[in-house]
Amino acid sequence: MNDIAENTLDIARQENVTRILDAAERLFRHYGYSKTTVADIARDLGMSPANIYRFFASKVEIHQALCGRMLATAYQIAYDIRHQPISASERLRRYVETQHQLTLDLMLDEMKVHEMIVVAIERDWHVIEKHIDRVHDLIAEIIAEGIAAGEFAEQDPVVASRCFGAATNTLCHPQMVAQCLAKTNRASVDELINYVIRALKK
């Protein structure tokens, strides 16, 4: 098979994968992850379940791919903020504020999506871990630039990034955000962000 034919097959396969993921996400959002079956996804697309299984071995695998796609969107947002021409402190602030708002908009306002994320955290932890590692790398780069500019105190940016992530986790983790949203005895978004940025300067 020549390169052109292989490329055509790759494009066709990717188009089918995208169609399946789009349909799955639409049904997961409407009916919930637990109530949607592979047969439902196939019916929505006008194809047989066997055709779905040509691309994904199970509903779990479909969910993993969807989770990866959602996290890729979140990562791209973080990547774009990391490269903005503003101070390190402001980039860190924007990152947390944006991720917090994304959690509110995408994962809490639509509870069926929240269910998808909870299931991903419980079952597909390696997908989440890979995302966390990539985001930690971005944050470490921002902190390293802040140190070089004299904005932050001398410290190990890798360790600082992990601590920054742990300290702001309650603003970005869907389950924690859901649990703390209505509580009045928790630090506000601004209070927590100001606190962790001050810690980097000491």
Side-chain angles (χ1 to χ4, degrees), residues 16-28 33 36-42 45 47 49 51-70 116 120 124 127:
N16 280 315
V17 167
T18 299
R19 286 184 63 223
I20 292 169
L21 292 181
D22 288 346
E25 184 173 0
R26 183 168 60 252
L27 293 175
F28 289 165
Y33 173 76
T36 302
T37 66
V38 172
D40 293 329
I41 298 170
L45 290 169
M47 62 175 63
N51 203 26
I52 301 287
Y53 290 123
R54 288 176 53 211
F55 301 95
F56 296 99
S58 64
K59 186 175 82 167
V60 170
E61 194 170 293
I62 293 173
H63 181 227
Q64 287 178 331
L66 268 180
C67 181
R69 192 164 76 167
M70 294 173 69
M116 288 170 56
D124 310 329
V127 179

Side-chain angles (χ1 to χ4, degrees), residues 99-125:
Q99 293 299 315
H100 178 67
Q101 192 60 50
L102 182 66
T103 303
L104 291 175
D105 293 343
L106 185 61
M107 302 172 190
L108 298 185
D109 287 351
E110 302 181 51
M111 292 310 295
K112 298 298 192 305
V113 179
H114 183 225
E115 178 196 6
M116 288 170 56
I117 300 300
V118 170
V119 171
I121 291 171
E122 292 175 347
R123 298 183 184 178
D124 310 329
W125 192 244

Side-chain angles (χ1 to χ4, degrees), residues 179-180 182-188 191:
Q179 291 170 4
C180 298
K183 297 184 183 297
T184 58
N185 62 342
R186 300 291 192 272
S188 69
E191 288 170 342

